[in-house]
Amino acid sequence: MIAEAAVARAAGLIRAGRLVAFPTETVYGLGADATDDRAVAAVFEAKGRPRFNPLIVHVADREAAEALAVFDDRARRLAGRFWPGPLTLALPRAPDCPVSWLASAGLDTLALRWPAHPLAEALIRVAGRPLVGPSANRSGRLSPTRAAHAAAELGRSAAMVLDGGPCRLGLESTVVGLGAGAAVLLRPGALDAEAVEAEIGPLAEPRLAADDAPRPAPGMLLRHYAPDSPLRMEACATRPGEAMLGFGAVAGDLNLSPSADLAEAAGNLFAMLRRLDGRGGIAVASIPERGLGRAINDRLRRAARG
Ligand code: TXA
Ligand code: MG
């Protein structure tokens, strides 16, 4: 009941062109009406996000998705298998797609996702609009996995933070590009890329664009997902002033997963980095480069580039 009232209020704000932070199974998003140019512009403004970095558009059913973008066989297969869930598909825009061109940042593709979270789905349905939903942090910083983290990051720009408790997965969605050519892994994420490959075959690595060209996906921005403190990977022990983030048998001030469970580690990653931030530095234990470990290491590598 309480959630229903909160969703109704949030949906009203979205329809009025305001910004609402909302929970998903991956991380909190900063939601706005994707068809409203001014609301989408306000999202870029609030995040301090470069205009060349396109936004993901969130929907709550297949029909809505297929009205916005062109689905080929591979896209239908992946959506059928993994939606709702932590998979984003970058697809050619449909001819009459009503989504603001600002959201695509000059690309002729649109990134679409159906999040597996009851509050996110209810918000999209009640608002009756597709929602842009970048992670609800200032550009380049740690993604929020708790309502309080979203409020701390963007509380001043968001008219409301819809509280869904801690995010179940804690790591952003996997982004797959399905343009004319081979399918491309644009961002490793909470859905294991091997599960995608089992459905549609091998994924290509993205080509890095020249500096002044629009990035194929700025999940490719080098410095991103970063705490304020410098971060060091593959650490066995701390240096003076550092806090240690452990994994498995490598102990620390905090441990991503004492039992070396990669899903648990993904869920803890951003919240624990936030807790250790502000010290002289953060040393992170080595994480195996397999399964979800690939996505975790992707975030850590970018955070480490200070
Ligand atoms: O799990 C998630 O995906 C979260 C939750 C809130 O849904 N959202 C999220 O959004 O991580 P954001 O904006 O922080 O990251 C979106 C990623 C960026 O790497 C962006 O470059 C890429 O998706 N992207 C968006 N549109 C694209 C497009 N048309 N083509 C290629 N990449 C795109
Ligand atoms: Mg983000």
Side-chain angles (χ1 to χ4, degrees):
M1 258 342 191
I2 296 166
E4 232 166 80
V7 166
R9 189 159 84 83
L13 289 164
I14 293 284
R15 294 179 70 102
R18 309 284 299 278
L19 314 187
V20 172
F22 66 102
T24 78
E25 80 281 32
T26 58
V27 302
Y28 276 76
L30 181 63
D33 179 351
T35 66
D36 179 338
D37 287 326
R38 286 180 59 183
V40 175
V43 167
F44 279 94
E45 191 64 32
K47 282 183 58 85
R49 180 169 177 124
R51 298 289 170 132
F52 59 73
N53 192 352
L55 305 178
I56 296 174
V57 174
H58 296 68
V59 294
D61 58 76
R62 278 287 289 282
E63 211 185 325
E66 298 207 23
L68 302 180
V70 182
F71 280 63
D72 64 10
D73 284 347
R74 298 168 302 177
R76 278 195 208 97
R77 226 184 139 98
L78 291 177
R81 174 82 176 76
F82 298 114
W83 278 2
L87 173 68
T88 295
L89 299 174
L91 303 170
R93 281 176 72 113
D96 295 319
C97 176
V99 168
S100 166
W101 279 96
L102 286 175
S104 314
L107 302 176
D108 50 13
T109 53
L110 198 63
L112 287 178
R113 173 163 122 76
W114 175 358
H117 193 291
L119 286 182
E121 295 181 277
L123 176 61
I124 296 162
R125 289 208 180 99
V126 178
R129 307 281 161 81
L131 298 186
V132 290
S135 51
N137 50 273
R138 300 268 314 156
S139 185
R141 291 181 36 88
L142 297 168
S143 299
T145 54
R146 310 274 187 279
H149 299 167
E153 287 281 338
L154 292 169
R156 249 174 262 173
S157 332
M160 179 178 171
V161 178
L162 191 57
D163 190 346
C167 298
R168 180 164 58 82
L169 300 175
L171 202 62
E172 300 85 349
S173 62
T174 301
V175 183
V176 173
L178 293 173
V184 182
L185 179 62
L186 294 171
R187 177 176 72 180
L191 177 66
D192 195 336
E194 281 154 34
V196 174
E197 292 185 321
E199 288 294 320
I200 61 164
L203 293 171
E205 295 285 327
R207 281 179 297 115
L208 271 173
D211 250 12
D212 53 352
R215 305 285 192 288
M220 315 198 116
L221 289 176
L222 286 184
R223 180 162 168 79
H224 213 83
Y225 311 107
D228 290 330
S229 304
L231 183 145
R232 190 162 66 82
M233 295 175 68
E234 321 243 329
C236 306
T238 54
R239 296 174 185 163
E242 280 182 340
M244 179 84 196
L245 182 54
F247 177 76
V250 180
D253 297 88
L254 296 173
N255 193 319
L256 287 168
S257 171
S259 64
D261 173 350
L262 289 167
E264 183 185 26
N268 283 329
L269 180 68
F270 289 126
M272 288 189 171
L273 286 175
R274 230 169 242 278
R275 280 174 61 192
L276 297 180
D277 201 3
R279 307 217 206 159
I282 306 175
V284 186
S286 165
I287 310 288
E289 185 75 16
R290 64 175 153 75
L292 276 177
R294 288 173 66 193
I296 295 172
N297 283 325
D298 168 78
R299 305 303 187 269
L300 289 173
R301 271 191 290 274
R302 270 184 251 277
R305 290 213 174 90

